[in-house]
Amino acid sequence: MLSEQIISRLTKIVGAERLLLEAGELQHFGVDRTTIWRANPSAVVLPGTIEEVQQVVLLANECNLAIVPSGGRTGLSGGAVAKDGEIVVAMDRLNQMLDFNPIDRCVSLGAGVITAQLQDFAAERGLFYPVDFASTGSSQIGGNIATNAGGINVIRYGMTREWVIGLKVVNGAGEILNLNRGLVKNNTGYDFRHLFIGSEGTLGLICEATIQLTRPPAASTVLVLGIDNFPAILDVLRVFSAEIDLSAFEFFSQAALDKVTEHQGHVKPFETRTPFYALLEFETANESVLESAMALFETCVEEGWVLDGVLSQSLAQAKALWKLREDISETLWHWQPYKNDISVRVSRMPDFLREVDELVAGRYPDFEVIWYGHIGDGNLHLNILRPETLSNEEFVAKCGSVSAEIGQLLAKYEGSISAEHGVGLLKKDYLHYSRSPLEIKLMREIKKVFDPNLILNPGKLFD
Ligand code: MLT
Ligand code: ZN
């Protein structure tokens, strides 16, 4: 509970209508997409300018209050969960497009702009913002930056980090930093911008960003292939990427396809059932790319890697094929899945996946595991579905042991416990499997430099 005095000071900063204290509002703003923690913030504020954000942070320092920054709350690791009486600072009102420059092909915008709005803004000007994922309709650009969001086009365009050329942030001490200012080249020492990208709200509140845009791709074709076994997916990746610039190379298991077709009513890509499916996308500016793709498809069939396939013949069909992959995440919420978001080098994936499969099947036989992910990036989403016999608490506890064992395997394979979703609350106990004690010590020290009183998103990333 906040004191009357703090409530009155917050009201002075943001205005009475922008200070939310009702239970329903606190619930709404206090959680992300995870279902493990209960929202319990003491207040939600909706600042309208970077100066208001700054004043809230200064007040929090003075009165020793914790802050949870909040964007679209589509995160999957608890990074935006406020469970311990924190003040949620929601960026929804910083939602303006501020400055577009066609020569630099960049746009400055508020952190609260919805990702899809940025994509549309670019398209309307004959340009392209290439970071794309299923929740672009509600995620905010500030949250994308704070988590260095990845998605389905990373193989071609990289992660959010690649597209951020400027940032305005309020750090934990309440100071405003204007970082890199839209420059393409700027070798003037430490690039703090990149520290804030992916810092999960632990160093500062991202208020404004300048985003590089690019030329839109030519029309694209989608190919879905039914694949005989996991190592064969990588053979397919190897031969296709040797000849064609892929903009996506995704995969999902038969179990994932069954769930998405049953629950969303989507049509199967073809009748043949195969253990795995790969979804490839590539630009088809000319006929010769399609000819190469067909020839590669035939090679893959002859080698016995691919058992069936379908090539999109229209934009509508391409979109329908994408839905088979993109709707998996939403479909699985029905089972309150425990999400693992892991990566290893692409070349090590078959051995790694075999070991994880053996581990889960041997030690946790009552768990149903659904595999999908961005295989071209070495990023696997391993979702464990909750058996009806287990309560949510029992299930989460058991999954915690699975994660620790997978963490040990990841350490052996020199992989990452979080490829793209971030660490948040969900994975902080496993951080040491991916980062050395020295690295974690340095991260804590860096946090103290930018957030000396440790008021920003406490308990996220590490304790
Ligand atoms: C995806 O690849 O679909 C997203 O990262 C979401 C998820 O893993 O569930
Ligand atoms: Zn993903």
Side-chain angles (χ1 to χ4, degrees):
M1 276 282 281
L2 295 177
S3 68
E4 284 302 318
Q5 198 215 7
I6 289 172
I7 290 178
S8 127
R9 289 181 67 184
L10 285 171
T11 308
K12 270 206 192 98
I13 298 171
V14 291
E17 284 178 13
R18 315 298 185 191
L19 172 65
L20 313 180
L21 296 164
E22 281 184 12
E25 295 163 333
L26 299 180
Q27 282 300 312
H28 176 72
F29 281 94
V31 282
D32 57 10
R33 290 260 167 100
T34 51
T35 51
I36 299 176
W37 300 278
R38 255 176 45 82
N40 182 31
S42 56
V44 178
V45 290
L46 291 147
T49 61
I50 190 166
E51 288 76 20
E52 287 183 10
V53 174
Q54 180 180 37
Q55 285 180 53
V56 173
V57 175
L58 289 171
L59 176 67
N61 273 286
E62 187 189 320
C63 302
N64 195 24
L65 304 166
I67 284 178
V68 173
S70 175
R73 293 180 306 285
T74 56
L76 300 166
S77 303
V81 169
K83 63 181 181 59
D84 296 315
E86 303 93 333
I87 297 176
V88 172
V89 179
M91 295 299 178
D92 301 42
R93 289 178 64 227
L94 299 179
N95 60 354
Q96 279 90 28
M97 294 291 178
L98 301 169
D99 182 37
F100 168 65
N101 191 311
I103 297 173
D104 300 327
R105 293 201 301 200
C106 71
V107 57
S108 298
L109 73 183
V113 169
I114 303 291
T115 317
Q117 209 185 321
L118 170 60
Q119 291 171 334
D120 292 345
F121 180 92
E124 283 156 17
R125 285 152 187 82
L127 291 166
F128 185 55
Y129 178 61
V131 179
D132 199 12
F133 41 85
S135 59
T136 51
S138 43
S139 72
Q140 295 178 6
I141 199 72
N144 295 180
I145 296 170
T147 54
N148 187 25
I152 54 177
N153 293 142
V154 172
I155 193 172
R156 168 80 189 273
Y157 294 104
M159 314 247 309
T160 300
R161 182 182 300 285
E162 307 299 322
W163 302 93
V164 178
I165 54 173
L167 274 187
K168 275 192 195 164
V169 302
V170 176
N171 70 9
E175 296 153 333
I176 295 179
L177 292 163
N178 186 2
L179 304 171
N180 197 60
R181 306 178 308 281
L183 298 172
V184 173
K185 299 180 91 172
N186 178 14
N187 273 352
T188 51
Y190 309 142
D191 193 339
F192 297 140
R193 162 187 51 156
H194 284 297
L195 263 184
F196 283 90
I197 300 170
S199 64
E200 302 189 29
T202 61
L203 302 179
L205 290 114
I206 294 165
C207 295
E208 240 180 82
T210 302
I211 301 291
Q212 185 72 70
L213 303 173
T214 187
R215 264 186 296 118
S220 294
T221 296
V222 172
L223 176 62
V224 173
L225 302 173
I227 303 203
D228 186 48
N229 56 70
F230 190 81
I233 303 178
L234 298 178
D235 290 318
V236 174
L237 173 64
R238 181 172 42 78
V239 297
F240 267 87
S241 48
E243 280 193 39
I244 294 180
D245 287 328
L246 297 171
S247 49
F249 192 98
E250 301 280 308
F251 97 112
F252 43 94
S253 63
Q254 178 65 57
L257 180 65
D258 284 344
K259 299 264 188 261
V260 90
T261 49
E262 277 162 29
H263 286 264
Q264 307 279 358
H266 297 336
V267 180
K268 286 183 274 182
F270 33 75
E271 280 307 314
T272 317
R273 286 173 71 80
T274 60
F276 295 102
Y277 297 81
L279 184 152
L280 292 69
E281 186 185 59
F282 44 90
E283 284 178 51
T284 36
N286 53 54
E287 274 299 304
S288 71
V289 182
L290 273 181
E291 281 161 20
S292 297
M294 290 315 295
L296 288 163
F297 171 70
E298 274 159 32
T299 308
C300 291
V301 173
E302 278 161 24
E303 292 285 350
W305 303 327
V306 166
L307 305 174
D308 209 339
V310 59
L311 189 78
S312 67
Q313 303 298 324
S314 65
L315 189 59
Q317 193 184 7
K319 281 190 178 160
L321 290 171
W322 258 120
K323 281 193 162 298
L324 298 174
R325 163 64 185 90
E326 283 219 290
D327 287 356
I328 296 171
S329 184
E330 194 193 311
T331 306
L332 295 186
W333 282 116
H334 182 73
W335 288 268
Q336 292 180 300
Y338 188 92
K339 303 184 89 67
N340 283 280
D341 161 43
I342 52 189
S343 67
V344 294
R345 284 169 60 163
V346 173
S347 56
R348 309 190 82 173
M349 286 176 98
D351 289 341
F352 174 71
L353 187 114
R354 185 181 36 76
E355 285 208 51
V356 176
D357 249 350
E358 280 168 14
L359 171 92
V360 180
R363 308 250 297 117
Y364 307 91
D366 52 341
F367 280 178
E368 186 180 1
V369 172
I370 306 287
W371 289 101
Y372 58 96
H374 319 281
I375 198 142
D377 315 324
N379 176 188
L380 299 164
H381 293 313
L382 180 159
N383 282 233
I384 306 173
L385 306 191
R386 182 164 73 83
E388 275 172 10
T389 49
L390 288 185
S391 72
N392 203 22
E393 290 70 35
E394 289 167 326
F395 176 59
V396 170
K398 254 187 146 180
C399 288
S401 331
V402 182
S403 291
E405 294 190 60
I406 292 176
Q408 284 164 22
L409 273 181
L410 282 163
K412 175 174 145 191
Y413 281 86
E414 299 188 303
S416 172
I417 58 140
S418 180
E420 60 172 3
H421 294 168
V423 176
L425 291 169
L426 188 65
K427 296 173 212 146
K428 63 179 173 177
D429 291 344
Y430 318 109
L431 185 63
H432 64 279
Y433 293 116
S434 292
R435 308 296 296 261
S436 69
L438 175 60
E439 282 181 293
I440 296 174
K441 175 176 162 285
L442 291 171
M443 283 203 245
R444 288 184 202 284
E445 287 172 9
I446 289 168
K447 172 152 174 84
K448 275 195 206 137
V449 170
F450 289 98
D451 180 20
N453 294 320
L454 309 181
I455 61 155
L456 286 188
N457 228 3
K460 313 291 163 49
L461 196 51
F462 42 67
D463 282 316

